[in-house]
Amino acid sequence: MTTIFDWINQFRNAWGDNFQAVGDLVLYAWIISFVNLVLCGGALNEKFGIQPRTWLGLVGILFSPFLHKDWKHLIGNTIPFALLGCWVLLRGTDDFWVVTLVIVLVGGLAEWLLGSPNSVSYGASGVVFGYVAFLIAQGYLEDNPLLVIGSIAIGGVYGFTLRGLFPGETGISWQGHLFGFLAGMLAASYLDTFRNMFL
């Protein structure tokens, strides 16, 4: 008799070791969301989201990408995160972790420093915007229009258009999107400079 654990193992084998990092991050986000939304009634969002210029808000830089308002928010971030994350992973696991950490840390710190007072932001959309920016910048630096067109297309299909980088919809952290986007461009520039210097 096939169990759910057999299905998970089959999926992981089909997914391949190269994409395990993205799968693991998605799994963590879903587990944390279950704990947050089902067991804690969403209370972790206020405690561990990014709260600009507060000491507790610094913790939110690391935890906020795993927190979501509701299941729709989580699903809306999961699909583009997985697609774009796998595309970034094609460049290698080391590059994936460097890009992801730069986006999370630099983008999160910028939001903590410059975000709206008395606000709390959370969700993985800043990371998604960062991946879009990274792939666009890499496409430009490598003269690869496929990267540029593909990343814009994926972002556009799932609603992560450039309009999300500016003030607009109430309850949406446009600063998180903008700083994530800029951090993705910084990550591309960093990796390109690093390769030119040492490779």
Side-chain angles (χ1 to χ4, degrees), residues 9-195:
N9 285 332
Q10 289 171 11
F11 175 76
R12 280 193 124 176
N13 291 335
W15 186 259
D17 292 337
N18 290 337
F19 299 108
Q20 186 173 337
V22 169
D24 287 346
L25 289 175
V26 168
L27 181 62
Y28 298 149
W30 278 77
I31 290 171
I32 291 169
S33 291
F34 177 82
V35 171
N36 180 33
L37 298 174
V38 176
L39 303 181
C40 299
L44 299 183
N45 292 338
E46 294 295 322
K47 291 186 179 295
F48 296 108
I50 297 176
Q51 303 171 41
R53 296 171 298 284
T54 67
W55 290 112
L56 186 58
L58 283 172
V59 176
I61 293 172
L62 293 177
F63 287 102
S64 63
F66 296 102
L67 300 172
H68 291 83
K69 179 180 179 180
D70 51 34
W71 296 109
K72 180 180 177 182
H73 186 204
L74 176 62
I75 293 167
N77 279 333
T78 296
I79 297 171
F81 173 85
L83 292 174
L84 292 164
C86 286
W87 208 342
V88 174
L89 253 177
L90 291 175
R91 314 188 69 76
T93 305
D94 290 343
D95 281 7
F96 171 80
W97 286 117
V98 168
V99 170
T100 302
L101 287 173
V102 167
I103 293 169
V104 169
L105 296 178
V106 174
L109 183 59
E111 186 171 10
W112 183 82
L113 287 169
L114 303 171
S116 301
N118 303 316
S119 66
V120 181
S121 62
Y122 43 84
S125 54
V127 179
V128 173
F129 271 98
Y131 285 163
V132 169
F134 171 78
L135 292 167
I136 291 172
Q138 281 293 296
Y140 172 78
L141 292 169
E142 297 174 3
D143 195 24
N144 184 344
L146 181 62
L147 278 178
V148 176
I149 294 168
S151 57
I152 291 174
I154 292 172
V157 165
Y158 291 100
F160 292 96
T161 58
L162 294 182
R163 66 185 170 85
L165 301 175
F166 304 100
E169 194 173 342
T170 303
I172 302 297
S173 175
W174 66 270
Q175 296 103 325
H177 298 170
L178 176 62
F179 296 136
F181 190 87
L182 295 175
M185 296 185 78
L186 178 67
S189 176
Y190 167 78
L191 287 177
D192 185 64
T193 302
F194 182 82
R195 285 195 185 93

